[in-house]
Structure formats: structure tokens, C-alpha cells
Amino acid sequence: MSEPQSAPDAGPSDRPRRLKPAQLLFEPPEAVADPEHFFDLESIEDPRELLARSTELALAFRAAADRATEFQAVAAAQLADPRRFDRLPTAVIAERAEWSEDYAKKMVEFGRDLLRGGGTEE
């Protein structure tokens, strides 16, 4: 069983990133409004339990980020597909995703590999 592939390294970017975190749909809106609240971790007093729960969350977020990146790569590959009449140049894909053009090229290739079935294997 092999580990899931991560996306290619982004490398340095000339422009600042304006990333807004995605809303976490499973956390109540009133909890999100409280800056001290984070998945109820602040209420866990036992350090063993806190370590276990925070580790679970960290692993879940990493897995979610990897999966979302795979979807980005597939979308980039589809948008760059030369068979599409509305194909987008890599520079446009890079701009839309706020990537460097080099990173966009790597993501298109990664997406093509995923679409061929050569991405993650379990």
C-alpha cells in the first residue's frame, strides 16, 4: 500500500497570497465567531486527550488538503486539455488559482496522471 501523493511544491511567488480559509461546515457558526474556540479543543483539560484529539484533527485536515489539491490538479488538467474547445492556457489557470505558471504546469501534469489512474493507489 503506498502513501497518497502530495501536490508538487509551489515554490516562491512574486505576489502575496490572499488566501481566505474555507469555512469549516461542521463547526457551528457561533463557535467560529469565538477566536478562542477551535473544535472544542480549548475545553479539553487532559493533555493526553488533547494530544490525541488535536492529532486526529491535524491528520484529518492534512488528508482533506491533499484530497482538495488532487481535485485542483484534475480541474487544471481538464481546463488545459487541448481537446476542449474552451481550453485555457496555463497562464490563465495559474492566475485563477493564484499559482505561479510553473506550479500550474506541474499541477496540470499531476492532474493528467490522476486522470490516467496513476495518482494515488491504495
Side-chain angles (χ1 to χ4, degrees), residues 63-96:
D66 286 347
R67 190 73 178 124
T69 300
E70 289 175 354
F71 278 104
Q72 283 183 307
V74 166
Q78 290 171 334
L79 289 170
D81 188 338
R83 297 171 294 185
R84 289 178 61 108
F85 76 93
D86 60 347
R87 175 182 180 261
L88 293 179
T90 309
V92 174
I93 295 169
E95 184 179 328
R96 287 187 180 188

Side-chain angles (χ1 to χ4, degrees), residues 24 26-40 42:
L24 299 170
F26 46 85
E27 186 154 34
E30 59 275 1
V32 174
D34 179 4
E36 295 298 315
H37 180 84
F38 189 73
F39 293 90
D40 211 27
E42 70 285 347

Side-chain angles (χ1 to χ4, degrees), residues 18-110:
R18 299 180 323 266
L19 295 179
K20 177 181 163 192
Q23 181 183 4
L24 299 170
L25 300 178
F26 46 85
E27 186 154 34
E30 59 275 1
V32 174
D34 179 4
E36 295 298 315
H37 180 84
F38 189 73
F39 293 90
D40 211 27
L41 293 178
E42 70 285 347
S43 68
I44 299 174
E45 293 182 19
D46 178 7
R48 289 177 196 88
E49 185 182 343
L50 179 59
L51 178 62
R53 180 66 180 133
S54 59
T55 300
E56 285 175 359
L57 282 171
L59 293 173
F61 287 139
R62 281 186 208 133
D66 286 347
R67 190 73 178 124
T69 300
E70 289 175 354
F71 278 104
Q72 283 183 307
V74 166
Q78 290 171 334
L79 289 170
D81 188 338
R83 297 171 294 185
R84 289 178 61 108
F85 76 93
D86 60 347
R87 175 182 180 261
L88 293 179
T90 309
V92 174
I93 295 169
E95 184 179 328
R96 287 187 180 188
E98 297 185 12
W99 296 331
S100 70
E101 194 167 349
D102 286 341
Y103 185 72
K105 288 176 186 174
K106 290 178 183 178
M107 287 294 279
V108 166
E109 287 305 314
F110 180 52

